[in-house]
Amino acid sequence: MAYSSTRPVADRDRPLLSVEDLTVTFGRQGEEPFRAVDGVSFTVRPGQTVGLVGESGCGKSVTSLAIMGLLPKRGNTVGGRVDFEGTDLLSLGDAELRNRRGKDLAMVFQDPLSSLNPVVPVGLQVTEVLERHRGMSRKAAMPVAADLLSRVGIPDPNRRVKDYPHQMSGGMRQRALVAIALACAPRLLIADEPTTALDVTIQAQILALLKELVEETGTALIMITHDLGVVAGLCDEVNVLYGGRIVERGPRHPIFREPRHPYTNGLLDSIPRLDTVGERLTPIPGSVADNLPWDHACAFAPRCSQPVEICTQTTPDLVTNGDRALRCHNPVEVPR
Amino acid sequence: MSMVDDARLDSQASDADVLLRVEGIKVHFPIKRGIFFDKTIGHVYAVDGVDLQIRRGETYGLVGESGCGKSTLGRAILNLEHPTEGHVRFDGVDIASLKGEDLRRKRQDLQMVFQDPLSSLDPRQSVESILVEGMKAHGIAKDAKEARPRLRELLQAVGLPIQALSKYPHEFSGGQRQRIGIARALSVNPKLIVADEPVSALDVSVQAQVINLLADLQEEFGLTYLVIAHDLAVVRHISDRIGVMYLGAIAEEAPAAELYETPLHPYTRALLSAVPIPDPVVEDTREQILLTGDLPSPSAPPAGCRFHTRCPWRQPTRCEDERPALRVVEIDGVTAEHKVACHWAEQIHSGELQPHAVEPVAVDPSALSGNVEPVAIDASPLGPDGRRTP
């Protein structure tokens, strides 16, 4: 797939996106406000694939929506800074944000059926982006749209541009979404559980496609998933989230080989692996409902396999050491 | 049961071991169209000829992608879906032919655990009432008071506190709700439990709790499981034997370890290679067989081998016109328990046949919702396999 970006590739060591101390709080009627994302910071360099991993309710999706400015206007407060090539995205107004969304940063969602417009042909949904951001006429944009669909592996694209979303299979719809996201060759692509609704063989196709596109276009990718297997095959850097905070960060190989946080370690112990013989699994006890508030404790302490007294008294800080970062009072010492 | 059936049952070895025997089961759903007259214009061949046996005390795993008919097969086994053809013998009794009161009584032996614990539990029933309902229906207990000791036992078995009895499903977390679903299935002392995607709605850290619980209960109560799931890693972990389904039929069946070590069917190979493994070292080095295209519509399944439209090993002969039977192959290190429905399994295994590129075929899912190709209106007679011969 030859994919030419018109822009020169930026300096690969300078961060493209830097999220600093991002906090999202949802107000609740008659209750204490809920802090879904609690001081999350990370950077993404051009061409890098960064994973945000965690279970439901860890704040991974809210983080991505906050970066894209897609959270609802009311009922929440967003704090911190989201620096994208020198601009704080959080300070931009609606019109400015619309000029950048779809052009400089794009997003692929989990459920392709609910993120495509059911009454508009798929081809038109691709040309929409081209018309809006590149000022192309619909007539000129249509062949480009067909070309994009063929690049993401949709057979017979000239006929498929006229198809409505319901006429496509799940994998095909997800490919169409990827085509829409890549229409303007964005520098940052956020994929929020892009394969969770798909079958494994289709998942493998979409992941291979994303990998290929990232390598060829130099687009940076933020991959949001709960599946450690997906992360292991795709991400350069992994951020593990728990209860709205990053608890561990590291490059792909070390974090899987030597997880330091008991949560990361526990996750790896609790999932059955296809390539090993079935020993008894070691589950993480309890559920996310058992979390302690971060204010004066480690949220994970009630489910932790090795809590110490301080865990329920003081909040652990995220301590950076080289390319690893860890938020834990009593980290796992033994390598796996 | 007829004498012929008896004779045949006797002739098959280790029959006492077999708890469930499914023979040539088919479930076809009619596709209807029309406002005044429900004209049948085709069928969805959800399950199209499946034979399988489940032994006492074992866990049989059924894997496949969405739309392959695995859930329909599970429901047909429990007679929740009436099979179009074929027999389901449970302990020698043909379940598929049972009706009314006989069927209701038999249900005591066969229970089901569903995927979504919230929608399969009545939100307005307390846990106690959920658990007692089945016991009353099957005469195990007359009322809640009589059932008390048994309820205590059940909750302890699934790891819930006794206080849970007076609570309602919404007061529990996903993992706990699934425990209630399991307790409900256990309450009537079943012999077989069909678990349809028992952990896929749960968070990863909680999945392991439920998987371990299922294993413990099997040991404690001597249960037999049929576990239906799309997650191969989960199925491998809990199953003794595994059947891989593709478009309404079993493509390969083998003991769990053997299936993963020596997959013989091209579909199994592709499926196994597509599962992500949480280990970057493995992910970086292993070879992936990427399938092109999507699952064909089960309302117009391909002739011959169901998989030939996507198969990287497809051959010019046999694959397109001859439907392969599930057979035992003679390959070193492959046991007689290992069956595969592929004409070329031996040659593919030896490396004599090499994979080639496949052009993706576009599949229109709306065909499922009634817009079937004209082929489906074909009036030619039904073939011996129940499908129309063109």
Side-chain angles (χ1 to χ4, degrees), chain A residues 136-156:
Chain A
M136 293 168 104
S137 70
R138 183 163 297 178
K139 212 173 155 195
M142 208 41 115
V144 183
D147 187 42
L148 278 162
L149 290 182
S150 98
R151 277 180 185 166
V152 295
I154 294 182
D156 201 2

Side-chain angles (χ1 to χ4, degrees), chain A residues 210-230:
Chain A
L210 285 175
K211 216 171 179 171
E212 202 176 273
L213 293 171
V214 164
E215 270 164 24
E216 275 169 25
T217 60
T219 298
L221 176 67
I222 299 180
M223 184 78 188
I224 296 169
T225 179
H226 69 278
D227 190 333
L228 288 166
V230 170

Side-chain angles (χ1 to χ4, degrees), chain A residues 297-313:
Chain A
C298 170
F300 185 62
R303 304 178 69 195
C304 187
S305 60
Q306 46 184 46
V308 285
E309 205 177 326
I310 190 170
C311 295
T312 51
Q313 291 161 356

Side-chain angles (χ1 to χ4, degrees), chain B residues 8-305:
Chain B
R8 207 178 66 185
L9 280 180
D10 286 342
S11 71
Q12 270 164 350
S14 64
D15 231 41
D17 286 353
V18 177
L19 179 68
L20 182 84
R21 186 187 295 280
V22 176
E23 290 162 357
I25 199 166
K26 289 182 184 175
V27 184
H28 297 171
F29 297 108
I31 303 170
K32 306 214 172 183
R33 190 186 277 169
I35 299 166
F36 299 111
F37 307 102
D38 276 349
K39 202 166 70 178
T40 302
I41 53 160
H43 284 94
V44 173
Y45 301 95
V47 177
D48 203 14
V50 168
D51 295 281
L52 63 86
Q53 280 141 36
I54 301 177
R55 297 180 201 126
R56 273 171 223 282
E58 84 168 339
T59 302
Y60 189 97
L62 206 53
V63 280
E65 299 181 280
S66 47
C68 74
K70 55 188 192 301
S71 289
T72 309
L73 176 59
R75 294 173 62 85
I77 285 172
L78 299 183
N79 208 346
L80 292 171
E81 213 70 74
H82 193 71
T84 314
E85 224 179 274
H87 301 281
V88 178
R89 284 182 214 291
F90 179 82
D91 248 354
V93 182
D94 190 354
I95 306 258
S97 69
L98 289 182
K99 279 197 181 84
E101 183 64 10
D102 291 336
L103 178 62
R104 192 187 73 76
R105 290 227 184 116
K106 203 69 207 166
R107 288 243 161 92
Q108 187 182 348
D109 291 340
L110 306 125
Q111 285 292 310
M112 185 146 184
V113 173
F114 297 91
Q115 170 173 358
D116 180 1
L118 190 57
S119 65
S120 58
L121 297 171
D122 184 344
R124 294 197 281 186
Q125 266 187 308
S126 67
V127 172
E128 179 171 21
S129 135
I130 288 171
L131 296 179
V132 170
E133 197 175 27
M135 290 159 75
K136 279 204 282 202
H138 289 291
I140 296 171
K142 276 204 295 293
D143 51 37
K145 205 171 148 220
E146 200 185 316
R148 268 284 157 156
R150 173 88 184 125
L151 290 177
R152 209 180 288 269
E153 229 177 84
L154 278 172
L155 288 180
Q156 201 178 10
V158 298
L160 286 174
I162 193 80
Q163 293 84 350
L165 281 179
S166 53
K167 291 191 186 172
Y168 290 84
H170 74 267
E171 296 174 79
F172 295 92
S173 69
Q176 287 173 320
R177 278 181 210 136
Q178 197 57 294
R179 287 170 194 270
I180 299 170
I182 293 170
R184 175 178 61 184
L186 284 175
S187 66
V188 294
N189 292 318
K191 290 178 186 157
L192 175 76
I193 289 185
V194 176
D196 190 355
E197 301 277 10
V199 298
S200 59
L202 307 175
D203 261 324
V204 267
S205 69
V206 180
Q207 283 190 2
Q209 298 174 7
V210 174
I211 292 172
N212 282 348
L213 173 66
L214 286 171
D216 293 343
L217 294 174
Q218 182 165 44
E219 207 162 293
E220 198 176 336
F221 299 105
L223 295 166
T224 307
Y225 291 135
L226 171 62
V227 177
I228 300 165
H230 71 279
D231 187 331
L232 280 96
V234 168
V235 170
R236 172 182 192 180
H237 186 83
I238 53 180
S239 309
D240 299 309
R241 288 191 306 138
I242 295 173
V244 180
M245 273 187 88
Y246 187 80
L247 266 190
I250 289 185
E252 186 166 3
E253 184 187 80
E258 201 177 317
L259 185 82
Y260 288 89
E261 272 152 34
T262 36
L264 295 176
H265 199 285
Y267 177 62
T268 318
R269 294 181 120 188
L271 204 56
L272 291 178
S273 81
V275 178
I277 291 175
D279 185 341
V281 182
V282 179
E283 278 290 320
D284 288 353
T285 50
R286 73 196 192 128
E287 217 174 304
Q288 261 199 347
I289 304 166
L290 274 188
L291 291 182
T292 53
D294 300 292
L295 197 75
S297 162
S299 62
C305 174

Side-chain angles (χ1 to χ4, degrees), chain A residues 55-56 160 167-169 199 201-205 229 232 252-253 256 270 272-274 279-281 283-286 303, chain B residues 65-66 203 205 208-209 212 216 233 236-237 260 271-272 275-280 284 290-291 293-294 362 364-365:
Chain A
E55 297 176 278
S56 47
R160 286 276 161 180
Q167 289 169 301
M168 292 186 151
S169 66
D199 278 317
T201 58
I202 309 295
Q203 164 170 297
Q205 292 173 8
R252 179 166 69 116
H253 280 277
F256 279 90
S270 67
R273 275 178 61 161
L274 187 64
E279 299 147 27
R280 198 177 162 80
L281 300 172
I284 300 178
R303 304 178 69 195
Chain B
E65 299 181 280
S66 47
D203 261 324
S205 69
Q209 298 174 7
N212 282 348
D216 293 343
R236 172 182 192 180
H237 186 83
Y260 288 89
L271 204 56
L272 291 178
V275 178
I277 291 175
D279 185 341
D284 288 353
L290 274 188
L291 291 182
D294 300 292
D364 188 349

